[in-house]
Amino acid sequence: MELSYQSTRGGEAGVTASQAILKGLAEDGGLFMPCFIPKLDKSMKELSAMTYQETAYEVMKLYLTDYSEGELKTCIERAYDSKFDTEEIAPLAKAGGSYYLELYHGSTIAFKDMALSILPHLMTVAAKKNEVKNKIVILTATSGDTGKAAMAGFADVEGTEIIVFYPKDGVSRVQELQMVTQKGENTHVAAIHGNFDDAQTGVKKIFGDKEFARKLAEKGFQLSSANSINIGRLVPQVVYYVYAYAKLLSSGEIADGEVINVTVPTGNFGNILAAYLAKQMGVPIKTLICASNENKVLYDFFQTGTYDRNRDFILTSSPSMDILISSNLERLIYLSAGCDADANAAFMKDLSENGAYTVTDFMRGFMDDFKGGFAGEEETRAAIKKVFDDTGYLMDPHTGVAACVYDRYRTKTKDHTKNVIASTASPYKFSRSVLEAMEGKQEEPDEFRVIDHLAEVSRVPVPQAVEEIRTAPVRHNTECDVDKLKEAVEGFLS
Ligand SMILES: *Cc1c(COP(=O)(O)O)cnc(C)c1O
């Protein structure tokens, strides 16, 4: 059955999956959502015998219904190959009373690889299907991980240019080095003098600028997005929750039908929304624990029903979660309002005009599967150290936030349902913060000495992606002001 997509703000409907992937964001500023959430047509038992790639096909075929079986399988094969350092693609590790679903075994060692290694393939097939003649310009705002993963995915992909904006002082040293050393003639990156929200808002503004789109079209370009607002990001992320449950089943950790909880370190709300979609598709998930850092706008939202971004933006050691406008929450708002696009559009108008909105009691009830929690910097460091000291398992600060939030949730609710924590980055992407957590003191300035020291202390091998940037030459050095993003785009494309 054909699944079509519509904008969460009502401006577009009847859009095919491939069109939605090409567009990224709807023209009215809304996000594309399917008109219903499909159910898995294989049992968990059947899925438990499948590889990651086979599982990916079973999930993605239900959403991307205008892709042929051959097209989809080719995309999957090209994405989930030896770029990943394990055949399992997303292995599960058991430590300290939870299962860690490691989503960082791809080429840029953060969970963004799970979707961004397939998005370029989905996009080029979509371009062919829709007879796109223009060059596709991928415009991306990043809090650190998306940018690198998108550049790695799109580097030298024919018919595309990739442009990334990241906050100058808002990313880790490894994240920055990964981006500025990126190879590929079609890759462009600029550090902006602002934070992630400034970057994301600026990029969204460009997407909404019809005059600019016309100007680009005259030069043979059209814009698309690699941010998690693109449905082509969201759908591949559903796969690993299905896979995780299936693996727990095949390894005998759970019984068929047994419910599990899932804890996700959250920023833009894409990863946890994928878990929610997995639940709606039939994976026995009970509670979705949404873990925030000190930018706890989502915690407050689940606590009170009011989303309020009017607060200070805090730079933390989990920069990929330093976000006050969680874009993908709009998809949950839309669903909880019974897919009422007008109601959703009114909330989003409130958000852009007043920085806040309050949902109805009915909508809050609809979202009852979500429980919010947050962890401060000190507690996160303590969580990283405790799990390492107790079990030898090393985690990055984003995962540390989740571990801390989950621990508190379990103590408070006495809910001992088995729990999967989404482990979203290699600890080496944030070596300094991780080592400081373990040693309780500030580390020396040289990043690579810190990395080597962490390897000595933890006995976890340094990943290839980090070794590569040790000596790689810097290829990008553009900086720009937050009100000059458009000019930067024009500069890159000329
Ligand atoms: C992007 C990212 C997150 C947040 O994921 P969202 O889908 O934006 O909620 C968490 N941890 C890491 C390491 C990330 O890169």
Side-chain angles (χ1 to χ4, degrees):
M1 194 180 6
E2 184 89 0
L3 191 65
S4 74
Y5 291 77
Q6 67 251 343
S7 165
T8 51
R9 299 189 193 173
E12 282 173 82
V15 176
T16 64
S18 65
Q19 288 165 345
I21 287 173
L22 279 173
K23 288 187 163 189
L25 196 65
E27 275 164 42
D28 58 1
L31 311 190
F32 288 112
M33 269 304 271
C35 48
F36 63 92
I37 296 169
K39 296 277 178 217
L40 288 165
D41 60 11
K42 296 279 187 308
S43 70
M44 275 299 156
K45 200 143 181 62
E46 287 170 289
L47 289 161
S48 71
M50 291 188 191
T51 63
Y52 191 87
Q53 293 81 353
E54 289 164 346
T55 312
Y57 177 70
E58 292 302 327
V59 173
M60 292 175 63
K61 72 173 189 193
L62 301 170
Y63 287 94
L64 310 182
T65 51
D66 68 327
Y67 286 70
S68 71
E69 178 173 350
E71 286 168 343
L72 209 45
K73 286 189 170 166
T74 305
C75 290
I76 289 167
E77 269 162 36
R78 291 190 178 154
Y80 304 111
D81 61 5
S82 59
K83 288 194 285 301
F84 286 77
D85 67 9
T86 160
E87 271 179 25
E88 288 177 284
I89 308 294
L92 276 165
K94 191 175 181 178
S98 279
Y99 301 92
Y100 288 84
L101 176 61
E102 296 183 350
L103 304 173
Y104 57 79
H105 290 272
S107 56
T108 77
I109 58 176
F111 104 89
K112 304 300 193 290
D113 289 325
M114 301 305 297
L116 282 165
S117 48
I118 194 163
L119 184 66
H121 302 292
L122 296 174
M123 188 101 55
T124 44
V125 170
K128 228 174 263 160
K129 231 182 235 312
N130 293 281
E131 295 175 9
V132 171
K133 299 280 181 300
N134 288 334
K135 207 167 206 192
I136 297 168
V137 180
I138 308 292
L139 205 56
T140 294
T142 184
S143 53
D145 289 329
T146 296
K148 174 63 184 184
M151 284 197 286
F154 281 96
D156 292 326
V157 170
E158 216 179 302
T160 69
E161 295 284 330
I162 162 95
I163 299 175
V164 169
F165 294 104
Y166 72 92
K168 177 84 185 98
D169 299 315
V171 301
S172 82
R173 183 70 187 137
V174 167
Q175 287 179 312
E176 181 163 49
L177 278 173
Q178 279 188 313
M179 287 189 279
V180 298
T181 59
Q182 176 65 44
K183 292 184 206 154
E185 287 313 307
N186 64 339
T187 63
H188 314 277
V189 56
I192 68 154
H193 305 133
N195 61 36
F196 172 72
D197 283 328
D198 296 324
Q200 176 159 261
T201 305
V203 163
K204 277 192 181 170
K205 220 182 254 163
I206 295 179
F207 276 116
D209 188 335
K210 299 223 163 63
E211 176 57 31
F212 189 58
R214 214 179 39 72
K215 219 162 123 186
L216 287 181
E218 278 172 12
K219 295 183 184 147
F221 294 114
Q222 73 186 59
L223 296 175
S224 188
S225 168
N227 279 107
S228 56
I229 51 175
N230 194 318
I231 198 79
R233 276 278 302 274
L234 197 56
V235 169
Q237 291 177 184
V238 179
V239 174
Y240 46 77
Y241 291 106
V242 177
Y243 182 72
Y245 188 91
K247 285 302 128 192
L248 288 173
L249 187 56
S250 66
S251 59
E253 297 288 341
I254 55 172
D256 200 3
E258 183 175 343
V259 291
I260 61 167
N261 288 340
V262 170
T263 305
V264 185
T266 297
N268 228 356
F269 210 73
N271 201 0
I272 196 166
L273 188 71
Y276 178 73
L277 294 182
K279 172 173 176 152
Q280 300 308 311
M281 292 181 80
V283 180
I285 294 171
K286 190 174 66 163
T287 301
L288 300 132
I289 302 161
C290 174
S292 300
N293 65 22
E294 287 172 1
N295 295 292
K296 59 183 184 62
V297 62
L298 287 166
Y299 166 79
D300 292 340
F301 172 67
F302 287 120
Q303 211 65 12
T304 64
T306 296
Y307 192 94
D308 187 355
R309 61 149 304 189
N310 298 304
R311 61 183 75 202
D312 289 334
F313 185 100
I314 303 165
L315 291 176
T316 73
S317 58
S318 43
S320 300
M321 295 154 67
D322 290 346
I323 290 174
L324 294 180
I325 304 174
S326 295
S327 291
N328 275 294
L329 185 65
E330 179 170 348
R331 291 190 159 110
L332 183 65
I333 299 291
Y334 174 75
L335 291 175
S336 69
C339 298
D340 180 342
D342 292 339
N344 174 63
F347 290 124
M348 295 308 131
K349 189 156 174 275
D350 271 353
L351 180 63
S352 86
E353 286 173 4
N354 311 313
Y357 59 84
T358 301
V359 299
T360 65
D361 286 344
F362 178 84
M363 291 166 73
R364 287 188 70 187
F366 184 96
M367 297 175 200
D368 207 34
D369 294 342
F370 290 87
K371 299 285 176 259
F374 72 99
E377 292 288 274
E378 198 49 54
E379 305 165 281
T380 301
R381 280 193 284 270
I384 294 170
K385 181 165 167 51
K386 182 168 187 331
V387 174
F388 182 77
D389 288 348
D390 291 354
T391 69
Y393 189 73
L394 189 67
M395 67 179 86
D396 97 291
H398 302 77
T399 312
V401 166
C404 181
V405 164
Y406 171 65
D407 203 44
R408 204 176 309 135
Y409 167 84
R410 187 173 53 184
T411 307
K412 198 171 140 218
T413 60
K414 307 205 164 48
D415 176 359
H416 288 273
T417 305
K418 285 174 188 142
N419 178 58
V420 169
I421 292 179
S423 179
T424 50
S426 158
Y428 284 101
K429 211 156 183 179
F430 305 93
S431 303
R432 179 174 306 277
S433 302
V434 173
L435 193 59
E436 285 177 359
M438 312 244 290
E439 303 207 312
K441 63 175 174 64
Q442 273 212 317
E443 299 296 330
E444 61 155 306
D446 185 293
E447 189 68 21
F448 288 98
R449 287 233 203 104
V450 171
I451 288 167
D452 292 337
H453 189 161
L454 181 60
E456 268 166 42
V457 175
S458 70
R459 302 183 177 280
V460 175
V462 179
Q464 185 56 28
V466 170
E467 293 298 351
E468 274 166 16
I469 55 169
R470 251 182 226 271
T471 51
V474 170
R475 300 186 69 253
H476 307 269
N477 55 12
T478 307
E479 293 191 16
C480 87
D481 288 334
V482 291
D483 57 349
K484 292 281 185 301
L485 265 51
K486 218 156 74 177
E487 288 79 355
V489 170
E490 285 181 313
F492 285 139
L493 295 179
S494 66

